[in-house]
């Protein structure tokens, strides 16, 4: 809980556990008047006694919980509902009480409690069973963001060697940070290895792609670097250091955290040194205008061995006149861009759509596009009329029917269940260039150009697996694909006509 006083938190814990102040006083060996003064904020426990008070209080609260109260407490603290260890829950409450104590003490007597971090062993806290690690880090981020408009976070983790739960705790970092406060200046740098020998290529690659393509508001960089496969290290500059140690079978042994400035600085600048001297960024971010003006897009489509994984429907497979209409509506005042787009359009129509292509398209996104009309034209969202959508879809059908070199398959489902609620990514592969479109947001219409050779190979392997081995959710029969698209278009047409009549 951020910015909550010791008294308010203590009162809330008593309420959630349905316990009386007198019962807690008895457990602590204090008169009930002390508890009342702590709750009202008239007094605080002494520095010498706070550690014991927090420990005994947290254990008293947890031991007092019935099933209903336990669920209320987990909901209030946003704790994993599957957590069954009372000792871990008690550690979490103990830490929360100490943080509330520090916040209250520093707020009321700022100079008196400066050394409490070290005197109370607050600098180093170890958790034998770390199921709440994600909550700790998110909670710390929330607390520190309230005191500063900047957050600089470095994480060192070999994601390929972690269990899926811990992978997802890191993969969800951008979402968690955005939920703290989207207006803050957030920088995250992730140091990780890229183990091509790992068997779960699909899960790992989709996870990394989602980290790259989601929440463009956050400055989030990924670096290929040899890191310790048995540890996760994370450090917020000037704030806090976390570490988790793992066994060889990917089970977390324990976690440790520290707010000691010397330790935090040492870890931060050590990781920064590794970033500068050993790590390689796996991608480069370019705006949609950049990839048009600097001919990156043109260079890509002129490449060999083109393969497309199309998430959000975009400018590809668009009839010549419709392409020009939309280009004019978006870039009408920019002659340089329009000239480049004409070259791209001409090359797409006369060469690319008649060349050997392998294309995977999410059927769900075709359905959404036909129904709603939202299209990303060079990663810039636009909304098309139903007549424009119909022209576009009919042209896709024509390509499927008439162009034998173009192989199109539909993805009917999700390759990884845990990512089913995320936006389906778009990836464009060639022999030399690999490009991803980042989910567009206001003032962010970027592409990620893959620079790291290892990750390029991983993307190639990822596409090959989807193309060749996931037959249970990939529709490859040309007749069935045409029937599915026609059915979606017909249904949308009926709905559109009925809306006109109304």
């Amino acid at each position: 809980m951020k910015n909550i006083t010791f008294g308010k938190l203590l009162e809330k814990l008593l309420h959630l556990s349905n316990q009386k102040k007198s019962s807690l006083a008895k457990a602590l060996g204090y008169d009930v008047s002390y508890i009342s003064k702590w709750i009202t904020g008239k007094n605080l426990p002494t520095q010498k006694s706070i550690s014991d008070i927090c420990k005994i209080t947290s254990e008293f609260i947890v031991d007092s919980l019935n099933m209903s109260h336990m669920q209320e407490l987990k909901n209030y603290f946003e704790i994993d509902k599957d957590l069954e260890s009372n000792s871990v829950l008690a550690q979490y409450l103990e830490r929360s009480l100490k943080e509330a104590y520090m916040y209250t003490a520093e707020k009321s007597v700022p100079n008196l409690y400066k050394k409490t971090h070290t005197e109370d062993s607050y600098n180093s806290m170890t958790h034998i069973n770390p199921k709440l690690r994600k909550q700790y880090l998110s909670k710390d981020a929330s607390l520190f963001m309230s005191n500063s408009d900047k957050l600089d976070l470095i994480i060192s983790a070999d994601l390929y060697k972690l269990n899926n739960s811990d992978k997802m705790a890191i993969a969800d970092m951008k979402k968690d940070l955005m939920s703290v406060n989207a207006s803050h200046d957030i920088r995250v740098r992730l140091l990780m290895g890229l183990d091509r020998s790992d068997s779960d290529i699909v899960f790992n690659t989709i996870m990394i792609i989602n980290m790259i393509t989601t929440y463009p508001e956050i400055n989030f960089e990924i670096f290929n670097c040899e890191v310790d496969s048995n540890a996760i290290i994370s450090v917020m500059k000037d704030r806090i250091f976390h570490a988790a140690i793992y066994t060889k079978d990917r089970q977390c042994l324990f976690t440790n955290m520290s707010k000691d400035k010397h330790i935090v600085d040492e870890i931060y600048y050590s990781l920064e040194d590794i970033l500068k001297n050993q790590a390689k960024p796996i991608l480069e971010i370019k705006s949609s205008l950049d990839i048009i003006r600097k001919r990156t897009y043109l260079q890509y489509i002129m490449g060999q061995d083109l393969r497309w994984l199309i998430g959000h429907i975009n400018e590809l497979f668009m009839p010549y006149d419709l392409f020009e209409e939309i280009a004019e509506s978006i870039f009408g005042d920019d002659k340089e861009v329009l000239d480049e787009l004409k070259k791209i359009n001409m090359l797409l129509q006369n060469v690319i759509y008649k060349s050997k292509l392998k294309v995977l398209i999410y059927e769900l996104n075709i359905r959404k596009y036909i129904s709603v009309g939202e299209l990303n034209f060079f990663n810039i969202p636009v909304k098309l009329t139903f007549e424009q959508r119909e022209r576009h879809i009919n042209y896709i059908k024509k390509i499927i029917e008439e162009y034998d070199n173009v192989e199109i398959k539909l993805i009917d489902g999700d390759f990884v269940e845990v990512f089913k609620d995320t936006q389906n990514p778009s990836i464009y592969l060639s022999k030399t260039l690999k490009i991803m479109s980042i989910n567009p947001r206001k003032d962010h219409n970027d592409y990620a150009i893959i620079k790291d050779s290892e990750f390029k190979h991983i993307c190639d392997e990822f596409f090959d697996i989807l193309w060749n081995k996931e037959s249970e959710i990939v529709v490859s029969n040309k007749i069935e694909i045409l029937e599915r698209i026609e059915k979606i278009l017909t249904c949308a047409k009926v709905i559109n006509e009925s809306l006109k009549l109304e």
Side-chain angles (χ1 to χ4, degrees):
M1 313 308 296
K2 71 174 183 177
N3 294 0
I4 186 170
T5 65
F6 179 79
K8 289 293 183 184
L9 181 56
L10 189 59
E11 184 178 36
K12 189 66 181 180
L13 289 173
L14 288 172
H15 172 73
L16 290 170
S17 60
N18 197 31
Q19 289 299 311
K20 296 179 180 179
K21 290 181 285 186
S22 57
S23 300
L24 175 61
K26 184 177 180 181
L28 290 170
Y30 282 79
D31 188 87
V32 69
S33 62
Y34 280 85
I35 312 299
S36 298
K37 289 176 181 177
W38 297 344
I39 288 174
T40 59
K42 290 182 178 178
N43 280 337
L44 274 177
T46 64
Q47 299 174 56
K48 185 177 179 180
S49 62
I50 186 60
S51 186
D52 288 339
I53 289 172
C54 291
K55 181 176 176 59
I56 294 169
T57 299
S58 61
E59 291 173 351
F60 168 80
I61 295 297
V62 171
D63 291 341
S64 303
L65 297 171
N66 60 29
M67 292 297 291
S68 174
H69 294 144
M70 174 77 79
Q71 196 58 53
E72 286 184 37
L73 186 139
K74 287 181 179 180
N75 290 339
Y76 179 76
F77 283 94
E78 298 180 350
I79 293 172
D80 184 356
K81 294 180 181 179
D82 297 328
L83 178 68
E84 297 178 354
S85 171
N86 284 357
S87 62
V88 176
L89 182 57
Q91 286 178 351
Y92 181 80
L93 296 182
E94 180 183 353
R95 181 170 184 265
S96 298
L97 283 165
K98 287 183 178 181
E99 288 183 350
Y101 176 80
M102 287 301 305
Y103 168 75
T104 310
E106 291 178 357
K107 185 178 178 182
S108 56
V109 193
N111 295 321
L112 183 61
Y113 292 89
K114 288 294 185 184
K115 295 183 180 179
T116 301
H117 287 284
T118 53
E119 292 175 359
D120 192 36
S121 300
Y122 185 68
N123 276 328
S124 182
M125 298 185 65
T126 299
H127 304 275
I128 303 303
N129 186 343
K131 290 191 82 173
L132 294 172
R133 181 172 53 262
K134 181 181 174 183
Q135 278 84 355
Y136 289 155
L137 191 53
S138 297
K139 179 178 176 182
D140 287 321
S142 176
L143 177 65
F144 295 134
M145 293 289 279
S146 66
N147 298 322
S148 171
D149 61 352
K150 290 186 178 181
L151 184 103
D152 187 347
L153 172 65
I154 303 177
I155 304 171
S156 173
D158 189 343
L159 297 191
Y160 285 79
K161 299 300 183 184
L162 300 178
N163 59 57
N164 286 354
S165 174
D166 287 307
K167 288 178 185 178
M168 291 306 299
I170 294 176
D172 288 339
M173 183 60 62
K174 290 175 81 174
K175 179 174 69 175
D176 293 339
L177 290 173
M178 282 298 296
S179 68
V180 172
N181 196 323
S183 65
H184 284 74
D185 181 6
I186 302 173
R187 185 187 191 189
V188 181
R189 286 170 286 176
L190 172 62
L191 281 162
M192 61 171 289
L194 293 169
D195 186 359
R196 291 175 58 196
S197 65
D198 190 273
S199 58
D200 203 352
I201 291 176
V202 173
F203 183 98
N204 291 330
T205 308
I206 290 178
M207 174 186 64
I208 295 171
I209 289 169
N210 271 278
M211 285 195 287
I212 293 170
T213 58
T214 57
Y215 303 103
E217 300 92 337
I218 292 179
N219 181 2
F220 189 89
E221 303 165 273
I222 302 178
F223 296 82
N224 183 5
C225 183
E226 188 174 337
V227 297
D228 189 348
S229 61
N230 295 320
I232 296 177
I233 297 172
S234 59
V235 57
M236 297 179 193
K237 185 178 181 182
D238 301 325
R239 304 297 184 184
I240 192 168
F241 155 68
H242 284 261
I245 307 300
Y246 288 79
T247 62
K248 288 185 178 179
D249 61 355
R250 303 187 181 189
Q251 295 302 308
C252 191
L253 190 60
F254 70 91
T255 61
N256 183 270
M257 58 78 66
S258 176
K259 293 182 182 178
D260 184 287
K261 187 179 187 307
H262 176 73
I263 294 174
V264 172
D265 286 350
E266 284 288 327
I267 298 296
Y268 179 85
Y269 289 110
S270 293
L271 291 178
E272 270 231 320
D273 186 63
I274 293 172
L275 279 164
K276 291 175 182 176
N277 298 306
Q278 301 176 36
K280 298 178 292 184
I282 72 167
L283 55 93
E284 177 186 4
I285 303 298
K286 288 190 176 182
S287 70
S288 56
L289 286 175
D290 277 343
I291 72 157
I292 296 171
R293 286 195 179 114
K294 296 179 181 179
R295 302 192 172 180
T296 306
Y297 195 100
L298 197 62
Q299 180 189 350
Y300 167 74
I301 61 175
M302 290 175 67
Q304 300 295 315
D305 191 21
L306 297 185
R307 288 150 292 151
W308 302 340
L309 172 61
I310 299 177
H312 210 101
I313 303 302
N314 51 45
E315 70 282 347
L316 297 170
F317 296 133
M318 188 173 283
Y320 191 94
D321 56 344
L322 181 57
F323 187 103
E324 286 204 331
E325 281 177 29
I326 299 172
E328 188 72 36
S329 68
I330 299 174
F331 305 106
D333 296 329
D334 195 325
K335 187 177 184 305
E336 179 191 357
V337 171
L338 287 175
D339 286 344
E340 289 300 320
L341 289 176
K342 285 180 181 178
K343 295 172 188 175
I344 291 170
N345 193 11
M346 188 173 298
L347 191 59
L348 286 171
Q349 303 295 331
N350 296 298
V351 179
I352 305 307
Y353 298 156
K354 298 175 183 178
S355 303
K356 188 170 180 60
L357 280 176
K358 289 182 178 178
V359 185
L360 287 164
I361 308 177
Y362 285 91
E363 183 178 357
L364 175 64
N365 291 85
I366 293 179
R367 192 182 303 277
K368 286 181 179 178
Y369 170 56
I370 294 174
S371 301
V372 182
E374 293 177 350
L375 175 126
N376 289 348
F377 190 80
F378 291 87
N379 217 29
I380 297 172
V382 293
K383 190 160 185 176
L384 273 58
T385 66
F386 185 80
E387 183 272 333
Q388 289 174 317
R389 284 173 259 164
E390 190 173 17
R391 285 158 61 196
H392 190 183
I393 295 299
N394 283 331
Y395 192 67
I396 293 175
K397 288 170 56 184
K398 177 182 177 181
I399 289 172
I400 296 173
E401 290 173 330
E402 299 179 8
Y403 298 172
D404 293 333
N405 283 332
V406 179
E407 295 181 79
I408 294 179
K409 297 183 181 182
L410 291 185
I411 302 171
D412 180 15
D414 300 289
F415 293 109
V416 179
E417 179 70 17
V418 72
F419 296 108
K420 67 179 182 178
D421 295 325
T422 59
Q423 292 190 42
N424 295 319
S426 291
I427 308 171
Y428 314 102
L429 307 177
S430 74
K431 195 169 184 178
T432 54
L433 264 176
K434 324 286 182 186
I435 303 175
M436 298 180 195
S437 58
I438 295 175
N439 296 349
R441 296 286 183 94
K442 183 180 179 182
D443 301 324
H444 295 276
N445 308 101
D446 301 326
Y447 289 84
I449 314 298
I450 306 302
K451 293 295 184 181
D452 181 77
S453 57
E454 285 188 76
F455 193 58
K456 285 182 179 181
H457 288 304
I458 288 171
C459 290
D460 286 334
E461 291 176 18
F462 168 69
F463 187 91
D464 288 344
I465 291 172
L466 302 191
W467 186 265
N468 296 313
K469 296 184 179 179
E470 297 286 347
S471 57
E472 67 274 10
I473 61 171
V474 174
V475 181
S476 56
N477 182 277
K478 184 181 289 192
I479 295 174
E480 183 179 353
I481 291 171
L482 288 167
E483 287 176 349
R484 287 185 179 218
I485 294 175
E486 180 59 34
K487 182 177 179 181
I488 297 169
L489 185 60
T490 301
C491 291
K493 191 183 296 186
V494 170
I495 294 171
N496 186 65
E497 291 298 326
S498 65
L499 290 173
K500 283 183 180 178
L501 291 174
E502 291 178 4

